Amino acid sequence: MSTTTPSYEARSRSLKQSDPEVFALIQRETERQEYGLEMIPSENFVSEAVLEAMGSTLTNKYAEGQPGKRYYGGCHVVDEVENLASARVCELFGADFANVQPHSGVQANQAVFEAFLKPGDTFMGLRLDQGGHLSHGSPVNFSGMHYKVVGYGVKEADGLIDYDQVRSLAREHKPKLIIAGGSAYSRQIDWKPFREAADEVGAIFMADIAHYAGLVAGGSYVSPVQFADIVTTTTHKTLRGPRSGMVMGREAHRKAINKAVFPGLQGGPHMHTIAAKAVMAREALTPDFKTYAAQVVANARALAEGLTKRGLKIVSGGTDSHLMLVDLRPVGVSGKIGEEVLDKVGITVNKNTVPFDPQPPSVCSGIRLGTPALTTRGMGVAEMAHVAEFIYEALANAQSEAKLKTVADNVRELSKKFPLYRHRLTR
Ligand code: DSN
């Protein structure tokens, strides 16, 4: 009998056997991660347990709807998966409810707009060029295209959020939503003034903790949960889970958020990723994760000190979190060149505008650095001193191939001492 369906034997072959081309690309990327220093603050390295959940048979299941109220049969197992993930996330953050279905951080944020605003309504967010996020009002994002944006910023003198400006803009524009959070703001956000501004004008207060979530979970960054109506986050940054998003909040908002996520924005939730979020939350509930979060911050501070000592300028003078913005003007290198030079030596960063940057975003005056991934590998304060030196040496010798080669060798040696996925490279 002839059939076009691959045999069981064919379907059960490993990736290496069935698609050597894709397998080789994955191995190359794993090798890049293994032998370089990953310093993009929004990246991290997940555990084998998280990877296993993501690569599981749960990817096969459609489960539109909510646990117990699905539009598909056969959901009794994935219902338990989703309930487990939500319950663990609520325990971790102390939230009344958690919707773990959003596919990403932007979709989590979009759900909040869908739930509480109508197109054309006014909201406030930290400007992207001052440390905010694309979905907090950038003109090229849905948030800036479909809603009226009132952006607040940081103070030029100290790089800290201008809370007086937040209050006065809220009074003037009476937004329906006020967003706190960002992707390049390194200091502790004071959540209370946002709550007060929102109360004064009857706005919803949303905290986007995508960057800080792991630190909040680990007790190393003040939680917004008691202040905000809604908290959104990604799950793959400091929280060290799968690439995804979620929304948490007060009971009163559960229905509106659930409806906005499905059917408002998404169809079938990714059940394999939701299982991985459950694994992530279990890991983050352990005492080890508290230690991890504290070490991430200690490492960031040590790195900032090491760079400052060598003459680089850290925006706001330091960090209270996992990230920092480094102004490269003192070494006469743009963010673009800085990113390229560091790439050459195996240090992965991203160029970033600094507040009040004279350069356009494609060039930038700074780079953004973070310690979550290096800390996951087991690196500590002593290693951060070396990393600061590597970064400085590379930037200060951007034109010298010989010097860059020496730094690249040192980067590889350091990374070899902290194995990551080495077992995967010998498969
Ligand atoms: N683009 C992410 C970051 O790198 O911070 C945020 O979505």
Side-chain angles (χ1 to χ4, degrees), residues 122 124 148 150 165-175 200-201:
T122 301
M124 282 174 55
K148 185 170 168 239
V150 176
Q165 189 189 45
V166 170
R167 271 185 218 102
S168 63
L169 287 175
R171 279 180 196 142
E172 186 186 341
H173 296 278
K174 309 240 172 330
E200 208 179 312
V201 298

Side-chain angles (χ1 to χ4, degrees), residues 329-353:
R329 283 174 288 187
V331 278
V333 170
S334 70
K336 182 175 183 291
I337 298 292
E339 179 188 305
E340 285 166 12
V341 166
L342 291 170
D343 228 357
K344 276 193 190 167
V345 300
I347 299 177
T348 310
V349 308
N350 68 278
K351 62 176 174 289
N352 215 101
T353 50

Side-chain angles (χ1 to χ4, degrees), residues 92 217-218 239 279-287 289-290:
L92 188 60
L239 201 46
V279 177
M280 165 204 81
R282 189 173 203 259
E283 290 177 357
L285 280 161
T286 61
F289 196 83
K290 278 197 177 358

